[in-house]
Amino acid sequence: MAKSTSNTGKPWTPAEVKQLKQEAAGNTPTRVMGLKHKRTEAAIRAKAQVEGISLKPTNQSPYGTKK
């Protein structure tokens, strides 16, 4: 089980959601996002799913297509 953080159980602010979208667009790793937001990696993934934010890297080719 993940350690609790200082923001555990606190609602997300609109500014935090906006920052999350920007970080996802910039391919920031979820662990780094969690450290910046003081939330667990699972919380980052859950909020991204609720908001419809893709955390998949946009600058990498799909698995198995490398020549």
Side-chain angles (χ1 to χ4, degrees), residues 21-53:
K21 288 179 182 179
Q22 291 173 344
E23 291 167 348
N27 293 330
T28 305
T30 53
R31 181 69 187 130
V32 174
M33 288 183 203
L35 292 172
K36 287 182 179 182
H37 291 276
K38 296 182 181 171
R39 296 181 185 268
T40 63
E41 191 172 348
I44 298 294
R45 291 184 186 281
K47 187 61 176 178
Q49 184 178 13
V50 168
E51 295 291 328
I53 302 168

Side-chain angles (χ1 to χ4, degrees), residues 4-14 16-17 37-40 43-44 47:
S4 65
T5 60
S6 62
N7 284 335
T8 299
K10 292 183 183 176
W12 287 73
T13 65
E16 286 179 312
V17 174
H37 291 276
K38 296 182 181 171
R39 296 181 185 268
T40 63
I44 298 294
K47 187 61 176 178

